[in-house]
Amino acid sequence: MASESDQSPNPSWFTPKRLLMIFCIINLLNYVDRGAIASNGVNGSLATCTDSGICTGGSGIQGDFNLNNFQDGILSSAFMVGLLIASPIFASLAKSHNPFRLIGVGLSVWTFAIAGCGSSFDFWSIAICRMLVGVGEASFISLAAPFIDDHAPTAQKTAWLATFYMCIPAGTALGYVYGGFVGSQFNWRVAFWVEAILMLPFPILGFVIKPLQLKGFAPLESKHTPSIETNVSETGGISVIDDGMLAEDQALLRGSKSTSKLWDQFTNFSKDMQELLHDQVYVVNVLGYIAYNFVIGAYSYWGPKAGYNIYHMSNADLLFGGVTIVCGILGTLAGGLFLDKISSTISNAFKLLSGATFLGAIFCFIAFLFKSLPGFIVFFSIGELLIFVTQAPVNYVSLRCVKPSLRPLSMAISTVSIHVFGDVPSSPLVGVLQDHINDWRKTSLCLTSIFFLAAVIWFIGIFMKNVDLYDKEDEDRSVPSRRGKLTPLLEGSRDTSSEI
């Protein structure tokens, strides 16, 4: 049994609202980095020479390391390798290690890796650092949303999630501006070093303050290592291993225990995965999210090029970027607030997901039918606004359709799935389609129609039997049976009037 001090509340200054604020800043920095590396100021360009022999020096990462377009493209997505591998690992480790400390570990890796990007000397050094950035981000992506869900006021759960996910479009857009300014005024390396400095206080905070506890996870008991090994006999007595035991035998014993522990973790992970994959509500939610993200990923990559070719936009990057920023922020916040207003339930979340995506798909589809640019901008903006309403509800379902101890793994597998089957393959596949059709309007209409598939999948979820498992107690496995009974450590998480 944990001591009473282990259950005592955190210092009064560390309130639920401050937790949300800190997590939002961290999320913002994550996506500022993604925007920065894609900006012209940081990414740069190769040296060019005209036929008359006039040469212009390269700039940014691509210019300094003389990267071809394939290598340059790898850098923009290399973080995803680390993210996809490490997300399930961190989620699994949350069973045996304090989740708040795991976030501290992940942010430490992120800070080190970002500083490494600024100090890199060739393609492979910066590519490896970008992969480590993904490893560092993995712990935060898997564990931050469950912490917010625990400590948000009961009547504002989805609104708090919406505030957190609003940082994705805002951070990416800010990253474009930040990377362009710092890269052009100073040097692309400075952009990474400043990011590392800004993030540094947060991993320190993760190790210094009293660790927060997730609902469904018990505080780990203090483990004391005795000077000699002991065994419990079958009669209940304790037998002492002889002090003269050979060092080799002791090493074998420790190795056996380590192997057994790893096997137990793998077994528990396999059981958790089976439970997730047999949860029909979770599977339907993620399948809809994959179809949704397939379109969003292709929009973000091919949108400016399609807009330039269809409507001959001279400022396609700025236009698509501006629409995404405004609609992303407003739509994400509106989705969270609206779901809280009509009552945050899994069924209502599916209704909002299906309805908003269907209406958004109609407006986006009609937008690409317009011959004139003004008509396209109006209808596409309305469509984007409706499409981004889904961000909070879809993650709310992933958090609430599983037991508390499965939430980190639920978020991790959801993230892995939408990338592996969604935005990662969508850009090249849309490129293949465009090569075959050779008409950006038709290609855009085909891509947009996949939103209707997402809406249909989520519509099925409305009629599925679902239960909010937030308060469900976990069965005793390799973890203390009282885990499911624990409440979050922060005070005021259920008080809608908690103050900063």
Side-chain angles (χ1 to χ4, degrees):
M1 193 75 176
S3 64
E4 193 172 321
S5 60
D6 290 335
Q7 300 292 335
S8 62
N10 277 7
S12 58
W13 65 269
F14 199 58
T15 63
K17 285 187 177 179
R18 281 208 170 103
L19 175 70
L20 176 64
M21 180 178 66
I22 289 171
F23 278 2
C24 284
I25 294 173
I26 294 172
N27 205 28
L28 195 71
L29 286 173
N30 277 330
Y31 282 90
V32 162
D33 175 66
R34 295 193 194 181
I37 196 170
S39 67
N40 289 328
V42 172
N43 182 266
S45 59
L46 284 169
T48 57
C49 292
T50 63
D51 293 337
S52 59
I54 300 175
C55 296
T56 303
S59 63
I61 298 172
Q62 189 174 21
D64 282 7
F65 295 152
N66 195 31
L67 306 181
N68 57 40
N69 288 330
F70 175 73
Q71 291 173 315
D72 191 33
I74 287 177
L75 292 185
S76 66
S77 57
F79 80 95
M80 203 164 288
V81 176
L83 180 68
L84 299 183
I85 293 174
S87 291
I89 294 175
F90 274 111
S92 181
L93 287 175
K95 293 271 186 161
S96 55
H97 298 76
N98 182 273
F100 197 73
R101 292 288 189 247
L102 288 176
I103 291 179
V105 171
L107 294 181
S108 299
V109 174
W110 193 96
T111 305
F112 171 80
I114 290 293
C117 290
S119 306
S120 55
F121 50 86
D122 62 7
F123 167 72
W124 284 108
S125 62
I126 193 169
I128 291 172
C129 285
R130 293 308 300 174
M131 292 179 194
L132 288 174
V133 168
V135 172
E137 188 177 329
S139 67
F140 184 72
I141 291 297
S142 303
L143 300 169
F147 272 114
I148 293 173
D149 189 40
D150 276 350
H151 298 103
T154 304
Q156 300 172 14
K157 295 278 188 184
T158 325
W160 279 41
L161 285 174
T163 303
F164 176 73
Y165 286 108
M166 177 196 70
C167 297
I168 295 177
T172 303
L174 183 60
Y176 285 128
V177 177
Y178 163 77
F181 174 77
V182 176
S184 60
Q185 296 297 317
F186 302 98
N187 185 278
W188 63 268
R189 297 180 184 274
V190 175
F192 290 122
W193 290 333
V194 171
E195 286 177 24
I197 292 171
L198 291 175
M199 183 66 83
L200 185 59
F202 299 107
I204 294 175
L205 189 67
F207 288 108
V208 170
I209 69 169
K210 183 182 179 71
L212 301 182
Q213 193 60 51
L214 274 178
K215 178 181 174 65
F217 293 84
L220 297 177
E221 306 292 346
S222 58
K223 298 176 182 177
H224 303 284
T225 304
S227 58
I228 55 177
E229 299 286 343
T230 61
N231 282 332
V232 179
S233 68
E234 293 182 1
T235 60
I238 299 178
S239 61
V240 181
I241 295 178
D242 187 358
D243 287 337
M245 175 184 282
L246 294 175
E248 291 85 350
D249 293 337
Q250 294 181 5
L252 284 173
L253 183 60
R254 294 192 198 98
S256 176
K257 287 182 177 180
S258 298
T259 303
S260 177
K261 187 175 181 180
L262 285 174
W263 178 252
D264 287 343
Q265 287 186 337
F266 177 77
T267 301
N268 288 331
F269 175 76
S270 300
K271 290 179 179 178
D272 289 342
M273 281 299 299
Q274 289 179 27
E275 190 169 344
L276 272 184
L277 296 178
H278 282 86
D279 188 327
Q280 295 180 352
V281 173
Y282 177 77
V283 171
V284 165
N285 187 53
V286 173
L287 286 175
Y289 203 8
I290 289 171
Y292 168 92
N293 219 54
F294 186 96
V295 184
I296 292 295
Y299 268 4
S300 64
Y301 189 81
W302 292 113
K305 185 179 289 292
Y308 176 80
N309 282 274
I310 298 171
Y311 299 103
H312 308 291
M313 300 178 191
S314 58
N315 57 345
D317 288 321
L318 181 61
L319 179 62
F320 271 87
V323 168
T324 301
I325 296 166
V326 175
C327 295
I329 293 174
L330 295 180
T332 302
L333 284 176
L337 292 170
F338 185 75
L339 184 56
D340 281 334
K341 187 72 174 177
I342 64 175
S343 180
S344 299
T345 65
I346 293 176
S347 180
N348 282 344
F350 274 126
K351 291 175 185 176
L352 184 56
L353 287 170
S354 179
T357 304
F358 183 77
L359 291 175
I362 291 175
F363 276 94
C364 289
F365 194 89
I366 294 174
F368 284 108
L369 293 175
F370 271 91
K371 302 294 184 182
S372 64
L373 180 59
F376 168 80
I377 293 175
V378 171
F379 273 76
F380 189 74
S381 297
I382 296 172
E384 285 270 88
L385 188 69
L386 289 165
I387 289 299
F388 276 106
V389 164
T390 60
Q391 287 299 305
V394 71
N395 288 288
Y396 178 87
V397 175
S398 290
L399 287 169
R400 291 309 187 100
C401 70
V402 299
K403 295 182 298 187
S405 63
L406 283 181
R407 288 180 302 166
L409 185 62
S410 168
M411 298 305 296
I413 298 303
S414 174
T415 301
V416 168
S417 299
I418 64 174
H419 289 313
V420 171
F421 303 108
D423 54 13
V424 169
S426 67
S427 294
L429 287 176
V430 169
V432 171
L433 179 64
Q434 169 60 18
D435 288 340
H436 179 71
I437 297 178
N438 197 29
D439 185 327
W440 274 111
R441 189 185 300 275
K442 292 180 180 178
T443 298
S444 300
L445 290 170
C446 290
L447 174 65
T448 302
S449 64
I450 298 177
F451 273 140
F452 291 109
L453 174 61
V456 169
I457 294 173
W458 279 327
F459 183 73
I460 294 172
I462 298 173
F463 304 98
M464 299 181 70
K465 182 180 179 180
N466 61 75
V467 179
D468 190 328
L469 299 178
Y470 180 75
D471 291 318
K472 180 179 174 61
E473 295 183 8
D474 285 340
E475 291 138 5
D476 186 15
R477 278 203 221 147
S478 62
V479 293
S481 59
R482 60 193 179 86
R483 283 187 169 181
K485 302 177 183 178
L486 293 176
T487 54
L489 193 57
L490 279 180
E491 287 187 318
S493 61
R494 301 189 183 280
D495 180 8
T496 58
S497 62
S498 57
E499 298 294 334
I500 295 180

